Amino acid sequence: QVEFNPERIAEYRLIGYETRALAREDFNNDRVDAGDIGSGHSVTAIYEITPVGSPARMIDDLRYGGQQQEAQGQASAEELAFVKLRYKAPGESVSKLIETPVTDANIVPSFNAAGEDQRFSVAVAAFGQKLRGTDAVAGYGYDRIMEIATAARGADPFGYRAEFLSLVRLASALQGKR
């Protein structure tokens, strides 16, 4: 569960995970499952965010305060978001909670300064949105997706990243034949 500080983040959009949406009231319910992450595995959630004061805002402010009234005084001024994750250890039936703030200290100075895995994940997410025809990537070409994925390919012991690059090339070639 990710909660954004409305004093710092004006808008946000989770990219992907549409089938894994979990109602806020179900987060603490151990009988409701939003998805499994196996032991030793990881998952990346990508959010597109718009900072408060950005000219890129797409949504008007709420007339009656909404989120800003609810969050008043709860978040530190340096917090961008607050992340909560529930997990069950193997063989256990009661979940445990991990909580952590996302602060200015977590910000990387540029996209290229982000880790290879994060940059490659962005290429995969952009590809998925491109295939779905999402407006947010309408001006984003397959060539840019290839450029990001190639630069962030890193170690690829099982060839999955090379296979992804082949899929992007194939989609690009098919688009050119329309």
Side-chain angles (χ1 to χ4, degrees):
Q1 188 174 53
V2 179
E3 180 181 354
F4 288 96
N5 179 354
E7 293 180 17
R8 299 284 308 275
I9 305 300
E11 301 168 355
Y12 63 91
R13 176 175 72 100
L14 176 61
I15 299 171
Y17 297 98
E18 291 87 356
T19 62
R20 292 295 184 194
L22 182 67
R24 186 174 172 210
E25 62 270 12
D26 288 334
F27 180 73
N28 293 322
N29 185 345
D30 283 344
R31 294 181 309 231
V32 177
D33 186 13
D36 291 327
I37 303 169
S39 179
H41 291 81
S42 63
V43 65
T44 300
I46 300 173
Y47 284 87
E48 176 183 40
I49 62 170
T50 305
V52 168
S54 170
R57 292 218 30 209
M58 301 291 287
I59 302 170
D60 293 333
D61 289 331
L62 295 173
R63 179 179 173 94
Y64 296 107
Q67 290 180 316
Q68 287 189 335
Q69 285 182 339
E70 291 175 21
Q72 291 285 336
Q74 293 179 10
S76 160
E78 71 177 25
E79 285 182 17
L80 299 165
F82 195 74
V83 178
K84 295 191 277 186
L85 178 80
R86 289 188 127 347
Y87 72 97
K88 290 181 190 175
E92 293 187 10
S93 59
V94 177
S95 66
K96 295 181 175 97
L97 177 66
I98 298 172
E99 300 176 303
T100 189
V102 178
T103 67
D104 292 334
N106 299 110
I107 296 174
V108 292
S110 69
F111 180 73
N112 290 331
E116 286 178 341
D117 289 342
Q118 289 77 26
R119 289 182 289 128
F120 195 85
S121 295
V122 168
V124 172
F127 182 61
Q129 289 186 93
K130 186 85 175 152
L131 291 175
R132 293 179 81 178
T134 304
D135 287 344
V137 293
Y140 213 73
Y142 288 112
D143 55 339
R144 180 66 178 130
I145 294 168
M146 280 293 291
E147 182 182 313
I148 293 169
T150 301
R153 183 172 171 184
D156 190 16
F158 302 107
Y160 297 139
R161 292 184 180 200
E163 187 175 338
F164 171 76
L165 291 168
S166 294
L167 288 172
V168 176
R169 277 191 291 278
L170 178 61
S172 179
L174 289 173
Q175 181 191 32
K177 298 194 187 262
R178 288 185 191 176

